Each structure stands twice: as C-alpha cells, then as structure tokens.
Amino acid sequence: MKRFLILAAAVAALASCQTDAQVRSGKPFAQFKTAKNANDAVACLIPSIEKSYNAVAIERWRFVAQTLVPNREYDIVPTAGMINGHYLYTVNVKQTAGGSDLTMYTGQFVMPFLTKGITDGIRGC
C-alpha cells in the first residue's frame, strides 16, 4: 500500500495538471463496440472492470457510472481515482444505432498492467 501511494504521488507529480474535460477532449486510449444498449453495457462493464482491474491492482477499487444523458450516455469512473483534476480512467459508453461505443481515456501515464486490467474488463462485455 505504501509503495502504491509513493508511486502514485510520483506519477502525479510528473503529470501535467489537466481537467477531466481536457483529458476527454484528447485522443482515446482505446475504443470498442458492443451490440448492447448503453444501460446493458454499463450493467455488464462495472462488475467486469472491477473484477479484471482488481485482479492486478495493489488496492481494491470500485467503479461507478455517472449519467451524462439518461439511457444514452454514461462515464464509468473509479470511485477513488481522481488525480490532478481528472480520473485515472474513464470509460465513456455512448449508445449508437447498432449498440454502444465504448471509449477509454487515461488521464496520464498509468502502468500498463493496470491499464490492461481495464481493457480486459471492457473486452469481457
């Protein structure tokens, strides 16, 4: 736990201060599609991301959905993952005609094994 906090502080110190909106306006880390509507995608993603992320993380994290447009668009974010004004991870779920687009944003450099935990969780849905 102590090593994780020291590492997180070091990474935060090296990262430039950005807001979540600035991070989301940049290039996505990864993009996926699903045939599920936005509500079903969110219901699948939260437990899937928690399971795969927590399998590799030092500390157990929870993820929640923030409603942007009811029944159409959500952001899935960690409950304890805000550093320098943005979330470490944001998975945007936006309903489309054929299902939903899933777009992952990372706010700064995060260790690849942790990022893989998120992408594996997305792929699980």
Side-chain angles (χ1 to χ4, degrees), residues 42-119:
V42 167
C44 179
L45 285 165
I46 290 175
S48 182
I49 290 170
E50 284 181 352
K51 181 180 177 184
S52 63
Y53 185 85
N54 288 329
V56 296
I58 296 167
E59 183 178 330
R60 185 164 172 75
W61 280 28
R62 289 187 50 237
F63 291 81
V64 296
Q66 297 179 333
T67 303
L68 302 178
V69 179
N71 301 314
R72 307 239 0 117
E73 186 175 7
Y74 302 90
D75 276 347
I76 297 173
V77 297
T79 58
M82 186 166 272
I83 294 179
N84 290 335
H86 58 78
Y87 290 101
L88 286 177
Y89 303 102
T90 300
V91 178
N92 179 259
V93 179
K94 187 181 285 187
Q95 190 157 322
T96 61
S100 297
D101 289 336
L102 312 174
T103 307
M104 178 181 166
Y105 296 91
T106 59
Q108 58 198 29
F109 174 77
V110 181
M111 290 196 245
F113 72 93
L114 294 174
T115 302
K116 183 178 182 318
I118 301 292
T119 57

Side-chain angles (χ1 to χ4, degrees), residues 1-9 58-59:
M1 174 70 175
K2 187 175 180 181
R3 284 189 302 177
F4 176 77
L5 293 175
I6 292 169
L7 180 61
I58 296 167
E59 183 178 330

